[in-house]
Structure formats: structure tokens, C-alpha cells
Amino acid sequence: EARMLASARPRGGFDFSLCGRNEVIRQAAAGATGTMPRAMKTGTTLAGAIFNGGIVLGADTRATEGTVVADKNCEKIHYIAPNIYCCGAGTAADTEHTTALIASQLKLLQLNTGAGSRVVTAMTLLKRMLFRYQGHISAALILGGVDTTGAHLYTVWPHGSTSKLPYASMGSGSLAAMSVLESSYKEDMTEEECMELVKEAISAGVFNDLGSGSNVDLTVIRDDQSVTRHRNYTTPNDVGPLRALVQAPSVKTIPRGATQILSQTVTLSDVQVEVEGMERLST
């Protein structure tokens, strides 16, 4: 009986029971389409810098699926807390759900303690979670925020390693962005100077990296913990004016009513909605 109880207890460690299922799916997909569906990745150029009075985070807006641009205007700067935001590179689903999970944990901690959220606390929660999965969660992050101890900027790698820096870049376009940051960053910059620097760093990735593109998003977090989000701060690849110059041939413009209607039937149905009253529970 003791042996049966011991064998029935849950065991720790990783669970590889789904490996067989994944192999069956892979073989089925290979027979039908030849390849398995691929996850959408953000490609990405991320950058952040600290100025005299806060921090600026920036990101491009292109999401790729292999060699296909899946989304031209996605958001890569994620909410963590009112005074903390996080830029995400890697697999889009991993970055979104990882930041959402940490945001909920940080909110619960804030409600339990009654104190404001600290940037180092968010960084610790992120690195512990990512280290637990040994890099299998594809989320490379730039975490920035302002708390009672000042402005802080961290890079968080998928394996859980972190660095605290005055300026940082991550993603497939990080080399181009870092060249701008290293050549132009200086201490005690103003907010306008820092925004221009981060914008130029992201633009360098947009124009020199195939995984990055479209627009530039900026988020400014100040020492008074006020936040300004600049969605599509610059749109260097806006094709609207170019498309406005192209006039479609009149033969391709089909007027309304050109297709003959042979018959038309309209059926009216009565929809009844019942609303049940709710009783308030007394404690």
C-alpha cells in the first residue's frame, strides 16, 4: 500500500508527455502541407535610454512570419505597471503573455503590500520565470521604469540573464540601433534629446534590418511617474501619399447596381431577450 501511494504522488521536473503528440502533428502536417505552422515573430528593433528626468523606450512595429510581414503596425511596448513598461522581441505570443503574466503578479503584490511597484521587482519576476524555462520562451525584453529610487533600465534575455544599463538595444536590428546609441548618447540629456536619440536608433534598425520596419513607437516615463505614449511617433514608410497618386482605371471601377438582382427575400424574425434578476448576497 505504501508503494502505491508513493507511485501516485506527482513528481517534479519537466513533463515531456506531449512530445509524442507533437511528433504525430508534425508527421500529419508534413503529409498535408509539407511544413508545420510557424509562430509569428516580431523581428524587432528595441531601444531605451535614460535622460535627466526619466526614461524613453522605443520599438518598431513590424511582425514577421518567416519571410512574410504578418503585421505592419503591431505594438511591442507592453504595460507592466503604471510606472513600468517593457519592450518585447522574439515570438509575439511569448512576449505578450509573459509581460501580461508579470503585470498581473506585480499588481497582486502591490495590492498585498500597499506600496508602489519597483522596477527591480518586475525584473526579478521576469528573470525567474524565463530561467525556469531555460530559454524555451522566446522573449528578449527591455524593461524600463521609474520608482522611488529613480529611473532604471534593464535588458532581460530569454535564458533569464539581465543587465542594468544607461542605454540598451535588443532584437534583430540591435546592432544598427546600438551604433546610434553609442555614438550619440550622453549623460544628463533632456527629454527631447533622448526621444530624438531613441527615434534615430529605432529608425536605424527599420532601414537596416529586414525583420524590423514600418513605424516607430515611443513611451516616455518621467520621474513624477507620469507616462506619455507616442503611438506611431514617426511613420517613415507611410505609403498613403504614394497610393493617392495612383489612379485606378475607370474600367476597374464597377458602379453600384451593375449586378442584376434576380430575386430578393426578406424574412423578419422576433427576437425575445429575457433578463433574469440577480439577488444580492448578504454577508
Side-chain angles (χ1 to χ4, degrees), residues 5-63:
L5 290 175
S7 61
R9 292 174 182 172
R11 298 181 180 179
F14 291 99
D15 183 7
F16 298 95
S17 60
L18 297 179
C19 293
R21 184 207 66 167
N22 295 339
E23 180 64 21
V24 172
I25 294 176
R26 187 191 67 80
Q27 293 177 0
T33 62
T35 58
M36 280 286 287
R38 289 176 294 185
M40 185 172 66
K41 297 189 177 182
T42 56
T44 305
T45 300
L46 309 178
I50 295 176
F51 65 91
N52 185 14
I55 188 171
V56 176
L57 300 175
D60 71 302
T61 61
R62 171 179 290 182

